[in-house]
Amino acid sequence: MEDFFKTLKEQQYIQVPFPLERHILEEAMEAFFKFLKEPDLVKNHIDFTIAPKHRRGDVGFKHRDAQNHLYDDSKDFFHFHPAIFDKYDDFLKTHPVVLDFMMKAKPIWDLAYKTTHQILQSFDQKFPGTSDKVFDSKTEYVHLQLRFLKYDWQESGKYLAKPHFDAGSFTLAIAESCPGLRIGSCPKDLQVVTHEDQHALFMLSSNFKRILETDDLSAGWHDVIQVDETAIGKPLARWAIVAFIEAHGVEALSRTETHKWYTGDAA
């Protein structure tokens, strides 16, 4: 476990086993792309929160246009949580494309849950009670959301996702279509990282001190840049699957904190 913390301290992320074959992840993304072709009324029908106090508790579809958003990135994403099956049973029965997407998302969420639970149980050895702050869900849904993400094309070398800390306490970056994710402790030491096969990238996010009482670790400052020039002019620059994990009953930090070092400069 000491090696785990040492690596996390030195590079702000660590590769953890995520034994799911690539084709399962790609099939889930294909189901997401089919979902994106559905009418707006269908795409936007699933809309609720699992954490009313937290601005990242939303479940459902979101579209972000670069020109209309403070951080100037363009993307489509869907936050999946299995509570969807409880809340939208009738809707899913009458919308097969949505149901297919949800069914393909569920095993990925399940493994993200299992993987994160194991990691936080290991944290319990050094920080007692860590796992209960996330997974003791007597009154609330476990705050673990799975984001399916499609980045629109931007000029090669520019940001696809602006530099930021994630709004939760922990992040599990599960899969990506191509390299471009950079992680560091601050803008000066960002490095492009590459997923190992059947592994995910675990890092601390902006709210981690709500769970871990330590000054010895730091959250992963990260962004996504366009590194593949062959994507120029194509409608899809990149896709990714990411899990966001938070404790029960906490509020997110403000966007001025989670994006505090972003200046608007190009990569």
Side-chain angles (χ1 to χ4, degrees):
M1 193 61 192
E2 287 304 315
D3 288 342
F4 180 96
F5 284 109
K6 183 174 183 290
T7 301
L8 198 56
K9 180 179 179 180
E10 290 176 351
Q11 65 182 24
Q12 284 71 53
Y13 73 92
I14 188 166
Q15 302 265 4
V16 296
F18 198 83
L20 205 61
E21 293 183 8
R22 178 75 177 185
H23 74 87
I24 296 175
L25 301 167
E26 291 178 343
E27 287 168 6
M29 285 306 306
E30 286 299 323
F32 174 50
F33 295 150
K34 291 179 182 177
F35 167 84
L36 292 178
K37 296 177 182 178
E38 291 290 285
D40 286 347
L41 283 175
V42 173
K43 287 190 295 187
N44 292 294
H45 184 77
I46 295 172
D47 185 15
F48 66 101
T49 180
I50 55 169
K53 292 182 179 180
H54 202 289
R55 62 181 170 85
R56 188 46 75 232
D58 51 319
V59 176
F61 172 71
K62 295 290 183 293
H63 173 75
R64 180 179 294 169
D65 284 316
Q67 64 269 27
N68 295 326
H69 193 271
L70 177 62
Y71 302 113
D72 193 34
D73 48 11
S74 184
K75 62 186 68 169
D76 288 316
F77 59 90
F78 188 96
H79 286 162
F80 171 84
H81 191 283
I84 290 170
F85 293 109
D86 298 330
K87 294 178 177 291
Y88 292 91
D89 180 59
D90 291 341
F91 174 75
L92 294 177
K93 287 177 180 176
T94 56
H95 293 82
V97 172
V98 183
L99 177 60
D100 181 60
F101 175 32
M102 299 301 99
M103 294 299 292
K104 287 182 168 64
K106 179 63 162 55
I108 305 173
W109 189 94
D110 288 343
L111 185 55
Y113 180 107
K114 179 181 178 181
T115 300
T116 306
H117 199 189
Q118 290 173 339
I119 292 170
L120 296 194
Q121 284 181 321
S122 298
F123 274 61
D124 285 338
Q125 300 172 25
K126 193 168 185 176
F127 307 100
T130 297
S131 59
D132 282 348
K133 293 176 182 177
V134 174
F135 291 100
D136 185 6
S137 56
K138 293 183 178 68
T139 59
E140 299 178 3
Y141 289 113
V142 170
H143 191 159
L144 190 159
Q145 294 157 300
L146 196 63
R147 176 181 284 190
F148 291 83
L149 180 58
K150 170 183 172 287
Y151 295 93
D152 293 336
W153 173 83
Q154 293 184 15
E155 183 181 346
S156 182
K158 304 293 186 182
Y159 294 121
L160 293 176
K162 300 301 179 286
H164 64 286
F165 295 116
D166 286 333
S169 287
F170 308 106
T171 298
L172 195 66
I174 294 169
E176 57 185 356
S177 57
C178 60
L181 173 64
R182 303 191 302 179
I183 303 174
S185 64
C186 65
K188 295 180 180 179
D189 61 8
L190 285 171
Q191 297 290 329
V192 175
V193 299
T194 303
H195 277 87
E196 296 177 9
D197 186 43
Q198 296 197 35
H199 282 70
L201 304 173
F202 176 83
M203 64 180 167
L204 306 182
S205 304
S206 64
N207 245 10
F208 80 93
K209 289 190 177 181
R210 301 289 183 96
I211 299 181
L212 306 176
E213 296 182 4
T214 179
D215 291 321
D216 201 36
L217 298 172
S218 59
W221 180 253
H222 60 286
D223 63 12
V224 178
I225 58 171
Q226 177 61 271
V227 297
D228 181 7
E229 291 189 2
T230 65
I232 295 175
K234 295 182 179 179
L236 171 64
R238 186 177 182 272
W239 61 255
I241 304 174
V242 185
F244 300 115
I245 302 97
E246 183 60 285
H248 290 297
V250 300
E251 297 181 17
L253 295 175
S254 68
R255 287 182 173 87
T256 55
E257 284 296 314
T258 58
H259 293 70
K260 64 180 182 178
W261 288 320
Y262 173 51
T263 62
D265 299 329

